[in-house]
Amino acid sequence: MTPDLAGLIANESPDALILMTDQGRVLHWSKAAESIFGYRGQEAFGQTLATLVVPPEHAEEQSLRLRETLSEGTATYESVRRRKDGSLLYVDVSTRLLADGSAPPRVLSAEKDVTHIKVRRDAKLMEARFRDLLESTPDGIVMANPTGHIVIANTQAERLFGYEAGELLGRSVDMLLPQRYRHAHVGHRSNYFQQPRKRSMGSGLDLSGLRKDGSEFPIEISLSPLHTEESAFVMSAIRDISERKRFEHALQEKNQELANANQAKDRFLAGMSHELRTPLNAIIGFTGTLLMQLPGPLNEEQHKQLRMVQSSGRHLLALINDLLDVSKIEAGKVDLQLESVDCRLVLEEVAATLQPQAHSKGLTFELQLPEQSRPVTSDRRALCQIVLNLASNAIKFTETGGVLLMLHQDTSARTTEIRVHDSGIGIPESEQTKLFGAFTRVQSSRAGAPEGTGLGLHLSQKLAELLGGRIDFRSVHGEGSCFTLVLAKD
Amino acid sequence: MPARILVVEDNPANLELVCYLLRFHGHTVLTAVNGEDGVAAAEAHHPDLILCDLQMPVLDGYQVLERLRGRRGGAAIRIVALTAFSMPNDRLRVLDAGFNGYMSKPIDPETFMAQVEEHLPPPLRSAPSQAT
């Protein structure tokens, strides 16, 4: 054999031929080695094989095999190598010790890339075992071997990524991800084989898949390990979540719109309240100065008429306040200050406020409180507002007799009820169903009956609901009514 | 003791109501119908108290406050917001901004003067309201 022919064989051999020192440092790196591993001859020269192409998890095996070669003269094994770009491949390795005594001992290593042979073998096995199963699932399924090469992909996965049947076989799974994820994915994948367990890769991450035509789409991936007698595989279930993302996006936009609309409504309400109060200020204010007779004395008729202007003005103001309260409750904007409340104090406060009004109408106003009471967890202001409203209604619709305000607590059932009894005109049965509606007023038998804003009970019921309770009532037309605020059990 | 009170208010009816009540109780009243005039009047006459509307043309009440407080001696100026903004947050917003007080419209003429008295410098307050 001429030296030229020997050189030709060494250079053109399809297998990588590597000549190393007994320490594993590269002395010669064939053209096939360049193309298989991606490192040029100059890059490889002087480096150890271990630092160049041996993945960390195979380092120990590599040094073992080198020692075996040095002691036995040859070694033959299968292993995994890492290319310059980080991708992995399977190699069949044959080594031989070159020691003729004249020079330091050297090692010749011939390494054959068997990745595709292995993939085809694994693929055949996977096809036979899992094809039918994989075709029956709605998700795209891709299985890869430890070097990241696809050994089987179901039709759903091929369709998802835009490949022909069988086209994905043997390709790296990394190509199903956009370039920007690949580096991380190689690391991710090799870590996964160190500690394989079932997990979802999609949660919390915005992952994208890369189609054959270069377009991207949002995906969710879950990984699970799969062990066969031959090898360990990783199964990826891939779901296209474009539709869900579209919904999420649409929902976000909708939410933003709603938030904007809500803000606009708040601004409108604040503006409306301001604009209505501004003229009311002059109406109520000047009526007040006239009634105080600051500009001069009034005759009886003038006094009477001005009182009507004043009460109408105040009515309008109450209406504005109630309307704002209702819209706040409906928008869920009421901040409840929950604290421990002694209901007796609330009732005493309401009684003190309303007793003069009842007495001036010739009515009795009684307060019946237990000697001991259990505090409830509630909002003091809201509670006060409800009781005040119920009790002032009672006075409003009662002409003879009186009003009884009482606290009733049942210790064993842990219930708290505040009752307002009156001996007033009562509510006709036909009117009872619409009692808590907005702006519904019970038809009064009496001409010129006092009018509320039409929102009081509506507001009270809503407040009671906010507090976790409700308002019940019993009424007999012509005999009186009893309204009960039932508070949430403590 | 009569005080010199500046009322800054763009609504003529409300301006007249407030002025009427103040004058009736013997105070000297200065008026301005927008924020800019209000600032000028405050600087020219150094009133004992300023009652200032919030929503006004040219400069609003908050801007008036900012300009007056920004001047030398501005921290000592007594300025109270008198406004028809009466949502629960409005009071806090007014006080946070640095007004000395918050009064809401519609005013009640029977209690208005007592509220005003509270914001006057102590020597100018009349006896009854000092008691309350």
Side-chain angles (χ1 to χ4, degrees):
Chain A
M1 199 158 66
T2 67
D4 277 357
L5 197 54
L8 184 74
I9 290 168
N11 259 329
E12 299 304 326
S13 154
D15 298 341
L17 294 178
I18 303 162
L19 189 65
M20 298 176 279
T21 66
D22 57 354
Q23 299 300 307
R25 290 198 182 279
V26 173
L27 297 170
H28 179 77
W29 188 257
S30 73
K31 268 166 72 179
E34 287 186 343
S35 70
I36 289 173
F37 298 117
Y39 289 101
R40 306 283 311 278
Q42 298 104 297
E43 289 175 284
F45 186 80
Q47 302 288 325
T48 65
L49 200 62
T51 52
L52 275 178
V53 294
V54 179
E57 59 272 25
H58 289 274
E60 203 183 316
E61 176 197 36
Q62 179 62 23
S63 72
L64 216 70
R65 295 301 189 174
L66 184 60
R67 279 204 299 278
E68 184 188 335
T69 310
L70 295 175
S71 61
E72 306 293 325
T74 64
T76 308
Y77 58 100
E78 186 187 279
S79 190
V80 175
R81 297 281 188 246
R82 189 189 52 218
R83 291 194 187 88
K84 190 181 177 184
D85 68 7
S87 60
L88 299 175
L89 67 152
Y90 284 105
V91 284
D92 271 352
V93 184
S94 305
T95 59
R96 189 177 152 77
L97 177 67
L98 308 177
D100 53 12
S102 62
R106 291 168 297 171
V107 172
L108 179 66
S109 182
E111 311 205 346
K112 183 183 191 64
D113 180 355
V114 295
T115 309
H116 289 285
I117 299 170
K118 272 186 76 74
V119 166
R120 272 200 297 277
R121 206 168 53 215
D122 289 340
K124 212 182 260 177
L125 189 94
M126 291 299 193
E127 280 290 333
R129 278 198 200 168
F130 298 116
R131 172 59 74 183
D132 290 347
L133 183 68
L134 296 193
E135 291 302 332
S136 69
T137 81
D139 288 342
I141 306 272
V142 168
M143 286 200 202
N145 67 10
T147 54
H149 293 88
I150 295 171
V151 295
I152 190 168
N154 67 0
T155 311
Q156 291 87 309
E158 288 165 345
R159 201 180 303 135
L160 216 52
F161 289 92
Y163 288 90
E164 302 292 326
E167 207 182 347
L168 281 171
L169 188 66
R171 303 213 189 198
S172 167
V173 282
D174 296 337
M175 61 175 291
L176 298 179
L177 295 174
Q179 193 73 46
R180 61 182 182 281
Y181 297 134
R182 279 184 205 166
H183 186 69
H185 188 246
V186 171
H188 197 80
R189 188 154 44 68
S190 96
N191 288 342
Y192 191 79
F193 271 99
Q194 304 300 306
Q195 291 176 305
R197 62 191 160 85
K198 214 172 145 195
R199 70 176 145 179
S200 158
M201 263 172 71
S203 50
L205 292 169
D206 270 332
L207 277 181
S208 296
L210 180 68
R211 292 197 192 88
K212 189 183 179 185
D213 66 11
S215 59
E216 294 184 16
F217 61 108
I219 54 171
E220 201 173 71
I221 303 181
S222 59
L223 299 177
S224 24
L226 181 80
H227 294 279
T228 67
E229 304 85 73
E230 292 78 17
S231 185
F233 297 93
V234 62
M235 183 171 91
S236 315
I238 302 145
R239 188 168 294 177
D240 182 347
I241 54 167
S242 306
E243 189 78 347
R244 200 175 81 200
K245 286 274 167 194
R246 258 199 302 282
F247 279 133
E248 281 173 6
H249 189 68
L251 211 60
Q252 267 170 8
E253 281 188 352
K254 210 76 218 150
N255 274 340
Q256 190 54 47
E257 269 175 42
L258 272 175
N260 291 346
N262 238 329
Q263 268 182 5
K265 190 180 144 201
D266 285 352
R267 273 198 302 275
F268 175 79
L269 282 174
M272 183 195 74
S273 156
H274 179 268
E275 294 313 304
L276 292 174
R277 273 166 211 276
T278 299
L280 262 184
N281 187 44
I283 295 170
I284 292 177
F286 279 120
T287 313
T289 57
L290 287 168
L291 281 169
M292 288 161 80
Q293 314 208 29
L294 301 185
L298 297 172
N299 67 32
E300 203 176 312
E301 187 56 31
Q302 287 168 332
H303 203 272
K304 194 182 123 197
Q305 292 185 5
L306 280 168
R307 279 260 165 243
M308 286 184 192
V309 177
Q310 186 180 53
S311 75
S312 296
R314 285 183 177 162
H315 181 92
L316 199 50
L317 183 60
L319 203 53
I320 296 166
N321 290 337
D322 282 359
L323 271 174
L324 286 177
D325 280 350
V326 169
S327 62
K328 251 183 293 175
I329 290 176
E330 281 177 354
K333 292 234 165 82
V334 177
D335 291 323
L336 293 180
Q337 313 268 329
L338 294 182
E339 55 182 331
S340 178
V341 179
D342 184 344
C343 291
R344 288 178 305 179
L345 297 180
V346 171
L347 266 58
E348 277 168 3
E349 195 180 315
V350 170
T353 311
L354 294 180
Q355 250 152 4
Q357 203 178 316
H359 294 160
S360 73
K361 240 184 127 176
L363 302 174
T364 60
F365 194 105
E366 268 184 83
L367 188 58
Q368 210 175 84
L369 299 176
E371 285 194 4
Q372 299 215 317
S373 103
R374 201 173 58 246
V376 296
T377 303
S378 198
D379 180 287
R380 202 188 145 71
R381 240 187 99 237
L383 207 55
C384 238
Q385 195 175 344
I386 298 168
V387 180
L388 198 65
N389 183 267
L390 295 179
S392 68
N393 272 350
I395 295 171
K396 216 181 284 175
F397 293 101
T398 302
E399 291 307 314
T400 56
V403 175
L404 169 64
L405 182 58
M406 59 184 287
L407 175 63
H408 182 85
Q409 287 188 311
D410 187 321
T411 317
S412 57
R414 305 200 69 74
T415 55
T416 298
E417 295 185 358
I418 296 168
R419 296 181 190 154
V420 184
H421 292 273
D422 68 56
S423 56
I425 53 179
I427 303 146
E429 216 164 306
S430 59
E431 307 277 345
Q432 292 189 354
T433 50
K434 52 185 188 183
L435 198 58
F436 292 98
F439 298 119
T440 55
R441 285 189 195 79
V442 171
Q443 292 297 315
S444 167
S445 56
R446 205 168 55 87
E451 287 212 344
T453 58
L455 286 168
L457 275 180
H458 180 66
L459 194 58
S460 296
Q461 182 71 293
K462 291 206 174 269
L463 276 175
E465 282 163 14
L466 271 185
L467 295 177
R470 63 173 194 279
I471 296 172
D472 289 341
F473 75 99
R474 277 181 295 108
S475 183
V476 178
H477 189 38
E479 288 178 21
S481 310
C482 174
F483 282 80
T484 306
L485 170 62
V486 183
L487 291 175
K489 284 192 188 185
D490 42 54
Chain B
M1 280 269 292
R4 290 177 338 118
I5 301 175
L6 169 63
V7 183
V8 190
E9 164 70 73
D10 66 315
N11 179 298
N14 289 332
L15 181 62
E16 181 159 349
L17 174 64
V18 173
C19 292
Y20 178 80
L21 282 167
L22 294 174
R23 286 196 183 112
F24 188 86
H25 287 85
H27 298 296
T28 304
V29 182
L30 307 159
T31 62
V33 294
N34 65 51
E36 196 166 42
D37 290 354
V39 172
E43 291 185 332
H45 305 289
H46 303 286
D48 301 312
L49 176 67
I50 303 170
L51 296 179
C52 188
D53 189 16
L54 288 184
Q55 185 168 291
M56 287 183 297
V58 195
L59 292 181
D60 69 20
Y62 290 105
Q63 291 169 310
V64 169
L65 177 79
E66 200 183 310
R67 299 243 174 143
L68 292 178
R69 288 272 190 256
R71 305 288 154 90
R72 183 203 286 270
I77 292 174
R78 289 168 178 269
I79 175 166
V80 170
L82 177 56
T83 176
F85 283 116
S86 64
M87 304 293 255
N89 286 334
D90 292 325
R91 180 190 192 86
L92 279 178
R93 203 178 149 211
V94 158
L95 297 178
D96 281 352
F99 282 96
N100 297 89
Y102 166 91
M103 290 168 67
S104 74
K105 297 177 195 167
I107 61 166
D108 178 349
E110 295 192 29
T111 57
F112 178 72
M113 283 316 299
Q115 285 181 280
V116 171
E117 291 266 350
E118 275 175 34
H119 297 294
L120 286 175
L124 296 176
R125 288 178 199 164
S126 57
S129 80
Q130 269 176 328
T132 53

